């Protein structure tokens, strides 16, 4: 008696939801990126097939007829600027996040340190991840705007000048957004890394202690190499989430109309720019969405390639050479 049909019945809901809510929108977005579809007043223009013209607009400024604007420069577009903004804020968020999370995970799992109240510390550090992004964005805006309490304290301590305004400073606004993302997610990353460290065979650490290895030697020789799969997962998921960054930049330091990352669009992410384009030109918004998908895919593949085990790569290379040798014989 075959019970395989019951297995297919259990996994069918996932594939049905995936096809309807993920695969179909992805295919439909790719199709939209090849058409013009926008409103001119109350009149809808399109959808008309225009080939790669929407992608041309991503690389260089064009008018509604897809003619290059006089004086336009290659790669000097809002799309490219939003890509740079997103990458900068993600890097400034993730680098300190992974370093601090690794340090805390090592401390909390180190049997020689034996920190007291670990459970309380873990809960406190994870709590920012529970707070909604909109709440954090509004909170930090209230604290660091021109008349905010933190700004006043920093001025009184002469850490910043009396005329300094975080909301008008590019570095200040980018730094605050990166810090908010870091503060929200380092606790979650720490919990994931702790789970990965606890999954390592304890006998390895016992053998290292018998051999007289220090905590530093144990971390770099045992923990870090065996934690590579978890680090790879953390890097890839952080890259995917970071490149799709939207909520905090879209709610922090924006005008009442929204979706304009002040100052001077320096905090406008790709997701914010896609939403702005969607209200005026669906075709170009879809093209930028496909570009975001490609960038995310490339970054993820690079992270997979750099984080994969060198031993696995060596074995795959040897297997490939054996197959070639067998084919020649």
């Amino acid at each position: 008696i075959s019970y395989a049909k019951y297995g297919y019945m259990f996994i069918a809901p996932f594939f049905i939801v995936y096809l309807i809510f993920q695969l179909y929108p992805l295919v439909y977005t790719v199709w939209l990126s090849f058409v013009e579809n926008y409103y001119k007043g109350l009149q809808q223009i399109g959808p008309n097939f225009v080939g790669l013209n929407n992608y041309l607009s991503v690389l260089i400024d064009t008018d509604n007829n897809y003619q290059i604007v006089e004086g336009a420069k290659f790669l000097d577009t809002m799309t490219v600027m939003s890509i740079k903004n997103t990458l900068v804020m993600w890097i400034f968020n993730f680098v300190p996040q992974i370093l601090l999370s690794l340090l805390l995970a090592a401390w909390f799992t180190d049997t020689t340190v034996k920190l007291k109240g670990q459970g309380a510390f873990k809960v406190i550090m994870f709590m920012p991840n529970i707070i909604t992004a909109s709440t954090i964005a509004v909170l930090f805006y209230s604290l660091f705007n021109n008349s905010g309490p933190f700004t006043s304290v920093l001025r009184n301590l002469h850490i910043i000048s009396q005329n300094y305004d975080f909301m008008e400073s590019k570095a200040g606004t980018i730094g605050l957004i990166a810090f908010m993302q870091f503060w929200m997610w380092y606790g979650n990353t720490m919990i994931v890394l702790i789970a990965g460290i606890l999954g390592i065979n304890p006998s390895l650490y016992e053998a290292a202690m018998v051999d007289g290895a220090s905590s530093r030697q144990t971390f770099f020789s045992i923990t870090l190499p065996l934690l590579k799969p978890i680090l790879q997962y953390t890097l890839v998921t952080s890259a995917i989430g970071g490149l799709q960054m939207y909520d905090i930049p879209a709610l922090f330091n924006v005008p009442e109309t929204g979706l304009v990352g002040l100052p001077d669009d320096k905090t406008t992410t790709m997701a914010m720019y896609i939403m702005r384009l969607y209200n005026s030109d669906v075709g170009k918004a879809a093209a930028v969405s496909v570009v975001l998908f490609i960038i995310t895919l490339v970054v993820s593949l690079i992270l997979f390639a750099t984080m994969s085990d060198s031993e696995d790569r060596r074995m795959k290379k040897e297997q490939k050479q054996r197959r070639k040798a067998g084919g020649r014989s």
Side-chain angles (χ1 to χ4, degrees):
I1 300 174
S2 176
Y3 294 100
K5 61 180 180 180
Y6 298 108
Y8 290 122
M9 288 172 61
F10 279 112
I11 65 175
F14 166 78
F15 286 100
I16 293 171
V17 172
Y18 174 78
L19 291 172
I20 296 174
F21 294 103
Q22 290 185 292
L23 185 60
Y24 171 72
L26 177 61
V27 175
Y28 185 61
T29 301
V30 174
W31 176 79
L32 283 176
S33 68
F34 293 104
V35 303
E36 64 173 355
N37 188 4
Y38 62 93
Y39 281 91
K40 190 175 183 181
L42 297 177
Q43 181 185 5
Q44 182 178 0
I45 308 298
N48 302 315
F49 184 78
V50 292
L52 296 174
N53 284 337
N54 285 324
Y55 292 96
L56 175 65
S57 301
V58 171
L59 301 175
I60 191 167
D61 287 327
T62 61
D63 56 22
N64 287 336
N65 295 320
Y66 300 101
Q67 300 298 316
I68 297 176
V69 177
E70 184 178 354
K73 297 181 180 178
F74 186 67
L75 295 181
D76 186 18
T77 62
M78 188 59 212
T79 305
V80 177
M81 180 188 292
S82 66
I83 294 172
K84 293 178 181 177
N85 295 342
T86 307
L87 289 173
V88 167
M89 286 187 284
W90 173 64
I91 291 171
F92 280 108
N93 147 43
F94 183 70
V95 172
Q97 178 190 146
I98 192 66
L99 292 177
L100 180 61
S101 299
L102 264 175
L103 178 63
L104 293 173
W107 279 351
F108 286 137
T109 55
D110 195 331
T111 55
T112 59
V113 176
K114 295 181 180 179
L115 290 174
K116 295 182 179 180
Q118 290 189 23
F121 281 118
K122 291 175 185 177
V123 171
I124 292 170
M125 292 173 182
F126 186 76
M127 281 184 68
N129 191 248
I130 302 173
I131 306 173
T132 60
S134 57
T135 304
I136 291 177
V138 173
L139 171 64
F140 272 75
Y141 181 81
S142 302
L143 294 175
F144 287 94
N145 62 35
N146 194 33
S147 56
F150 274 29
T151 306
S152 301
V153 170
L154 293 174
R155 285 172 180 166
N156 294 334
L157 295 175
H158 303 289
I159 296 176
I160 59 175
S161 65
Q162 294 298 319
N163 298 324
Y164 187 84
D165 186 356
F166 282 100
M167 302 302 115
E168 293 182 358
S169 168
K170 298 174 185 177
T173 305
I174 291 173
L176 285 174
I177 291 174
F179 177 78
M180 282 184 277
Q181 295 280 10
F182 154 77
W183 186 59
M184 272 191 69
W185 290 102
Y186 85 95
N188 180 75
T189 305
M190 177 195 70
I191 296 297
V192 173
L193 294 177
I194 287 175
I197 293 174
L198 293 177
I200 298 173
N201 192 340
S203 62
L204 297 173
Y205 293 105
E206 294 171 2
M209 290 178 63
V210 170
D211 290 339
S214 63
S215 297
R216 181 178 178 182
Q217 291 173 325
T218 302
F219 176 76
F220 284 103
S221 300
I222 298 176
T223 305
L224 207 55
L226 295 177
L227 201 60
K228 268 189 177 182
I230 304 298
L231 281 173
Q232 186 182 66
Y233 165 81
T234 305
L235 282 167
V236 172
T237 53
S238 174
I240 294 171
L243 292 174
Q244 296 175 2
M245 192 187 308
Y246 175 79
D247 41 14
I248 286 180
L251 295 169
F252 181 77
N253 197 18
V254 294
E256 293 181 359
T257 54
L259 297 180
V260 180
L262 299 176
D264 300 330
D265 270 321
K266 293 301 180 183
T267 56
T268 299
T269 63
M270 291 190 73
M272 290 171 63
Y273 185 54
I274 289 168
M275 287 299 297
R276 190 192 308 177
L277 278 176
Y278 180 78
N279 297 324
S280 58
D281 194 326
V282 176
K284 289 183 181 178
V288 179
S289 298
V290 174
V291 171
L292 174 58
F293 171 76
I294 293 172
I295 292 174
T296 305
L297 179 63
V298 170
V299 171
S300 300
L301 291 175
I302 291 173
L303 291 174
F304 268 117
T306 54
M307 291 295 294
S308 60
D309 196 350
S310 57
E311 183 67 20
D312 291 341
R313 290 199 299 266
R314 185 184 64 79
M315 291 178 64
K316 289 178 181 178
K317 187 176 180 180
E318 290 179 355
Q319 290 174 359
K320 189 175 180 180
Q321 290 175 345
R322 289 196 206 99
R323 286 197 294 269
K324 287 183 178 179
R328 286 195 295 269
S329 60

